[in-house]
Amino acid sequence: MGAALAIKLPSIVKLWRDPLLRAVGGLLVFGCAVFVFAAPKTIAWTNRVTGVPNIAAPWVYSLLTALSASWLLLIIAWRNGRTERSAQTRRTTRLVVSVYAAVVVALWVLFALADVPVERIRDLDTYYANTPFMREEILLYLVAHTVACSVTARLVWNWSRTEGLDAWLRWGLRFLGAGYVTNLLFSAAKLTAVGARWTGHDLDWLNTGIAPSAACVAATLVAIGFIVPHAGQYLQERWRVRRRHRSLQPLSRLMRSVTGGREPFDLRATPELRLIRRETFIRDALLPLARRLDDDLRARAYDAAVALGVERGRAQALAAAVALLDAVEARERAQHRPAAPEATRPPRSDGGAASPSSVAPPAPRAAATSAASPPSVSARFL
């Protein structure tokens, strides 16, 4: 939960007015607070500092109730998106806040009325399960937690099956759904142990063993659910940048023969900066070649590639590469020709529109040959 909060915190602070980010921030803060203050050592410290036996109980119950409310508020804000909130959304938000705020107030009132003089660090729920007012307090926070878990789990699972979702968001929702279902196991274990005390049985091991373990697993799944979309999209974008940088390498090598130089290189540069530098280098190198591009050759290469069954988008890229290689060779011939300057074609405004990532010398040369060859010969090259 702390890792998820650390990842989300910068955007939460920067865009605090966004209701979705506020809901995410509240959920992660309350989630971390629950685990901090529900730890046995923290419970003992809270009781000792305040001098009130078991006062940590309503405090932890209040944090858990606030966490439950934040789940519902998150779903309300998340499903509403970044559009202007409707009147129904505002009414639902106010209803959730009012109900769970009333539950928190009731928890403290019931604790003030209850008689709980014996400090219990780990098994307070079952130890005081039959104590007046404390019994109602325990039942109240467990019911509030169970209702929030059930509603949130159902909405998240339904949402994860919606068509058109980003793959990373879908996996994040699945982890969130699994976390909320596991949270139901926490409530079920607690309620079963308390109910057993009401009937004179002892199932305290559910309260002290199963419930805390379920809470830890649930928190981990929920945290992963928040991390997966953020980290997944980040890693996917970095991979896309690196892949495009590598795909431009053949064209970059070709442009070195035109300019005699290469793009700037810095070991400390980010992948995005390296990509920008390579693209800029290629565009600058393409400018002097624009006037030598042969539209007729490009059209013949395209027709030949399509006739051989090449997909149209790929055929356009190959045709552009053929025209570009021809322009490079024409430039080299002109530089080594001692005679009068070669008559050149008029400049073209779209000379840089070729798809650079598709240039790989063997394939364009084959396409160039096929553009001027019979089908049987061009088939052999492609």
Side-chain angles (χ1 to χ4, degrees):
M1 298 291 285
L5 179 60
I7 291 174
K8 290 287 187 181
L9 189 59
S11 57
I12 292 172
V13 173
K14 185 177 180 180
L15 303 172
W16 179 249
R17 292 183 178 275
D18 189 335
L20 174 58
L21 289 176
R22 286 203 303 269
V24 171
L27 187 152
L28 295 175
V29 168
F30 284 124
C32 292
V34 166
F35 278 92
V36 169
F37 288 97
K41 289 184 179 180
T42 311
I43 291 175
W45 176 85
T46 304
N47 294 335
R48 183 176 65 256
V49 168
T50 59
V52 180
N54 298 311
I55 196 173
W59 173 241
V60 174
Y61 295 163
S62 298
L63 290 174
L64 190 58
T65 302
L67 175 63
S68 302
S70 68
W71 294 339
L72 297 174
L73 293 176
L74 173 65
I75 295 301
I76 294 170
W78 206 348
R79 289 181 67 89
N80 185 63
R82 297 182 182 275
T83 58
E84 187 68 25
R85 296 195 300 169
S86 65
Q88 182 180 2
T89 301
R90 291 193 294 269
R91 286 196 301 269
T92 306
T93 301
R94 286 195 294 266
L95 176 62
V96 170
V97 172
S98 301
V99 169
Y100 278 83
V103 170
V104 171
V105 172
L107 291 174
W108 286 96
V109 172
L110 290 170
F111 179 79
L113 297 174
D115 183 18
V116 286
V118 180
E119 183 182 57
R120 308 301 300 184
I121 302 298
R122 297 178 181 274
D123 61 345
L124 184 140
D125 290 350
T126 49
Y127 186 86
Y128 289 109
N130 291 308
T131 301
F133 299 111
M134 197 64 190
R135 173 182 58 227
E136 287 76 11
E137 176 171 359
I138 294 169
L139 183 62
L140 179 61
Y141 96 84
L142 287 175
V143 169
H145 179 268
T146 304
V147 169
C149 276
S150 302
V151 173
T152 308
R154 181 175 63 83
L155 292 175
V156 167
W157 278 115
N158 290 341
W159 191 12
S160 67
R161 294 194 294 269
T162 303
E163 295 294 333
L165 287 182
D166 175 76
W168 294 110
L169 175 59
R170 190 182 302 278
W171 276 106
L173 289 171
R174 288 172 179 173
F175 278 107
L176 286 175
Y180 293 127
V181 169
T182 309
N183 260 314
L184 287 175
L185 179 59
F186 166 84
S187 295
K190 288 273 189 179
L191 287 170
T192 303
V194 171
R197 281 298 186 107
W198 293 346
T199 60
H201 298 84
D202 186 354
L203 293 178
D204 288 8
W205 59 274
L206 290 173
N207 178 43
T208 58
I210 299 299
S213 300
C216 291
V217 173
T220 303
L221 291 172
V222 170
I224 292 174
F226 283 111
I227 292 174
V228 161
H230 186 280
Q233 291 172 2
Y234 171 79
L235 294 175
Q236 185 179 27
E237 179 63 19
R238 295 300 291 270
W239 169 250
R240 186 196 66 79
V241 169
R242 291 180 182 275
R243 185 175 60 181
R244 176 162 176 79
H245 185 268
R246 286 196 301 269
S247 71
L248 288 172
Q249 188 173 11
L251 182 55
S252 177
R253 288 201 193 103
L254 181 63
M255 292 299 100
R256 292 175 196 171
S257 65
V258 176
T259 64
R262 57 178 300 168
E263 69 267 20
F265 179 76
D266 185 358
L267 286 174
R268 296 173 296 179
T270 64
E272 292 81 3
L273 181 57
R274 292 179 185 177
L275 175 60
I276 291 173
R277 286 175 174 175
R278 175 161 288 182
E279 289 177 338
T280 303
F281 168 74
I282 290 172
R283 290 193 186 99
D284 292 343
L286 284 173
L287 289 176
L289 295 175
R291 62 195 181 94
R292 300 182 184 275
L293 291 175
D294 189 338
D295 286 338
D296 293 337
L297 176 61
R298 187 190 327 211
R300 294 198 306 273
Y302 173 78
D303 293 339
V306 171
L308 292 172
V310 179
E311 186 268 330
R312 290 186 178 276
R314 177 65 175 167
Q316 290 176 349
L318 285 172
V322 167
L324 180 59
L325 282 170
D326 175 72
V328 172
E329 292 175 356
R331 180 179 180 275
E332 292 176 352
R333 289 194 301 268
Q335 288 177 343
H336 292 86
R337 184 180 302 169
E342 177 188 11
T344 57
R345 305 179 187 91
R348 287 179 44 86
S349 60
D350 60 343
S355 175
S357 61
S358 65
V359 176
R365 291 182 186 278
T369 306
S370 70
S373 304
S376 59
V377 177
S378 61
R380 183 185 63 201
F381 281 99
L382 285 178

